[in-house]
């Protein structure tokens, strides 16, 4: 009989792709979200609309499944997560506390938690040429306000459920995931999607607004690497938090130049220094990931951005045709 998996946040970007991935692996998949996927129907064998802040709904979601991939979260890009600390912290702690308890009661064999690079201390991310972040750098703690503190605390809850109740938890610290079939406008989009949208909407010679001076740096992981990494970590015996990202550091200015090149457009940058830009630099140290999995994300930024830009530019075209007709 097929293994049964629950993917929470299956109406969101990573969850939607993970449902497809697990099905290709032969799983039976239940997707749960508070909303349907934005761009195409879910491939899940069963899709339930549930608010996972409520314990009864978490019990219903975890009923009869073997593995849980807990991706549901109130989250968005830097503009979104810096604007509402209280709501984000409250919504996410309710989802995660109730999902852990329901998974314990329903005797789930594996519980994968989607943590984030936002748990790393702000004091380690003050320079653009940042030293890549190792898992042990998380403490002494000084994470991103709201979203980052909640992620770090839930990592600890996963540890406690493992130690006290034997629930096999895995915590994965994602570093900036991008790709097609993800939010690209409306305020929750992240930098690669927002920049693809702005460049898609620009004329052949044009300028776009950039948040900050563009010299802030990040590493970016393509969605297919992300879902493969999630699966490999879930199946591994490694029980402590693990980075999942690439260690290829680029500035936002470089990211814009790559996307402009793919689009075949000449794009100038209008810097808005009043907009939030997050930490100055953030990169993933993948030494432990390589040791544990003998694998790491391999899709280059240039490859991943080709498919991402193509999808977002098609979407913007469809939207502008709708406006005209
Ligand atoms: P997303 O916003 O696209 O997906 C999250 C989904 O959770 C959404 O569809 C949302 O509707 C759902 N959700 C929110 N509140 C809910 C509730 N009360 N009940 C049920 N569902 C609810 O985000 P994503 O990019 O797919 O991220 C997935 C996970 O990975 C999240 O936990 C996020 O914090 C984490 N993460 C993502 C990134 C990234 O770069 N995308 C980086 C670090 C961590």
């Amino acid at each position: 009989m097929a293994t049964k998996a629950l993917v929470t946040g299956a109406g969101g970007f990573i969850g939607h792709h993970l449902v497809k991935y697990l099905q290709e692996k032969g799983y039976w998949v239940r997707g749960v979200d508070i909303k349907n996927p934005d761009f195409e129907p879910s491939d899940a064998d069963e899709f339930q609309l549930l608010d996972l802040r409520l314990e009864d709904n978490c019990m219903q979601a975890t009923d009869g499944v073997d593995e849980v991939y807990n991706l549901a979260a109130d989250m968005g890009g830097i503009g979104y997560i810096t604007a509402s600390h209280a709501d984000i912290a409250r919504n996410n702690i309710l989802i995660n506390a109730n999902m852990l308890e329901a998974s314990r009661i329903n005797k789930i064999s594996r519980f994968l938690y989607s943590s984030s690079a936002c748990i790393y201390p702000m004091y380690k991310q003050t320079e653009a040429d940042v030293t890549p972040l190792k898992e042990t750098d998380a403490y002494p703690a000084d994470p991103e306000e709201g979203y980052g503190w909640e992620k770090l605390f839930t990592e600890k809850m996963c540890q406690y459920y493992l130690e006290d109740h034997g629930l096999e938890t895995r915590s994965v610290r994602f570093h900036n995931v991008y790709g097609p079939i993800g939010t690209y406008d409306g305020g929750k989009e992240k930098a690669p999607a927002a920049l693809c949208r702005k460049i898609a909407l620009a004329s052949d010679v044009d300028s776009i607004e950039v948040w900050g001076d563009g010299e802030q740096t990040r590493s970016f992981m393509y969605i297919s690497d992300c879902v493969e990494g999630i699966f490999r970590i879930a199946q591994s015996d490694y029980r402590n938090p693990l980075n999942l990202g690439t260690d290829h550091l680029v500035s936002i200015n470089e990211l814009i130049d790559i996307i402009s090149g793919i689009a075949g457009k000449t794009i100038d940058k209008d810097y808005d220094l009043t907009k939030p830009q997050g930490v100055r630099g953030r990169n993933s140290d993948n030494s432990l990931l390589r040791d544990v999995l003998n694998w790491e994300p391999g899709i280059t930024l240039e490859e991943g951005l080709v498919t991402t830009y193509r999808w977002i530019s098609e979407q913007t075209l469809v939207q502008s045709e709708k406006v005209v007709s």
Side-chain angles (χ1 to χ4, degrees):
M1 216 170 63
T3 309
K4 293 188 168 189
L6 163 67
V7 176
T8 74
F13 171 46
I14 302 173
H16 184 71
H17 287 271
L18 183 62
V19 166
K20 288 179 198 266
Y21 180 89
L22 291 174
Q23 280 200 320
E24 281 161 18
K25 286 269 169 208
Y27 276 68
W28 179 94
V29 185
R30 174 183 297 150
V32 169
D33 204 294
I34 202 167
K35 66 163 178 69
N36 282 306
D38 289 329
F39 305 105
E40 59 181 27
S42 175
D43 283 347
D45 294 278
E46 188 183 291
F47 193 92
Q48 297 186 15
L49 285 174
L50 294 172
D51 182 346
L52 295 172
R53 289 172 297 184
L54 306 175
E55 192 175 349
D56 285 353
N57 288 344
C58 294
M59 287 299 294
Q60 183 180 324
T62 51
D63 184 35
V65 298
D66 305 301
E67 298 178 4
V68 169
Y69 295 80
N70 189 32
L71 270 56
D74 183 4
M75 71 92 69
I78 190 68
Y80 183 79
I81 65 167
T82 50
S84 50
H85 294 145
D87 286 353
I88 287 177
R90 177 177 183 276
N91 290 337
N92 291 341
I93 205 69
L94 287 171
I95 294 171
N96 292 321
N98 287 325
M99 279 299 300
L100 275 164
E101 180 63 1
S103 297
R104 176 189 76 77
I105 296 169
N106 278 330
K107 300 190 168 33
I108 296 306
S109 64
R110 282 288 150 108
F111 181 97
L112 182 130
Y113 172 56
S114 52
S115 184
S116 166
C118 290
I119 65 94
Y120 283 113
M122 307 297 272
Y123 60 78
K124 292 232 171 224
Q125 306 174 79
T126 54
E127 304 292 335
D129 63 345
V130 62
T131 306
L133 293 157
K134 292 193 292 292
E135 285 77 357
T136 47
D137 287 330
Y139 298 97
D142 179 22
E144 187 90 41
E145 284 296 338
Y147 178 77
W149 272 107
E150 191 283 330
K151 289 280 186 204
L152 192 61
F153 181 68
T154 297
E155 284 189 1
K156 292 305 275 183
M157 292 243 299
C158 288
Q159 177 196 326
Y160 303 148
Y161 268 76
L162 174 67
E163 291 166 354
D164 294 0
H165 300 303
L167 178 63
E168 284 289 340
T169 55
R170 304 287 182 269
S171 291
V172 188
R173 294 175 181 161
F174 298 154
H175 289 251
N176 299 302
V177 190
Y178 71 98
I181 329 182
T183 306
Y184 61 89
D185 65 1
K188 281 195 164 188
E189 69 280 17
K190 305 188 100 189
L195 295 170
C196 284
R197 183 198 73 234
K198 288 177 186 181
I199 293 172
L201 291 171
S203 20
D204 285 351
V205 179
D206 210 338
S207 62
I208 60 164
E209 182 196 80
V210 180
W211 289 12
D213 65 359
E215 288 304 308
Q216 63 273 37
T217 54
R218 297 291 184 276
S219 68
F220 297 96
M221 167 171 55
Y222 190 61
I223 183 67
S224 60
D225 274 337
C226 176
V227 293
E228 182 165 354
I230 289 174
F231 183 70
R232 286 173 181 258
I233 294 170
Q235 304 310 314
S236 83
D237 291 334
Y238 192 76
R239 292 161 148 185
N240 292 320
L242 205 49
N243 281 334
L244 180 59
T246 73
D247 54 9
H248 176 59
L249 192 70
V250 288
S251 69
I252 295 300
N253 284 329
E254 288 167 329
L255 186 63
I256 294 167
D257 292 343
I258 296 170
I259 302 170
S260 310
I262 292 166
K265 298 184 181 182
T266 305
I267 300 292
D268 271 345
K269 299 147 187 131
D270 283 339
Y271 299 111
D272 185 343
L273 302 180
T274 66
K275 289 283 177 20
Q277 47 177 301
V279 292
R280 191 63 177 159
R282 174 179 289 158
N283 197 4
S284 175
D285 182 320
N286 283 354
S287 319
L288 188 57
L289 183 73
R290 281 191 292 269
D291 279 357
V292 170
L293 296 184
N294 203 17
W295 174 91
E296 68 184 310
I299 295 178
T300 65
L301 189 54
E302 288 75 7
E303 284 174 272
L305 283 172
V306 167
T307 46
T308 308
Y309 179 76
R310 189 183 306 139
W311 182 80
I312 291 177
S313 61
E314 281 165 12
Q315 295 296 309
T316 55
L317 205 65
V318 171
Q319 264 190 347
S320 54
E321 278 166 3
K322 274 189 195 156
V323 171
V324 171
S325 61

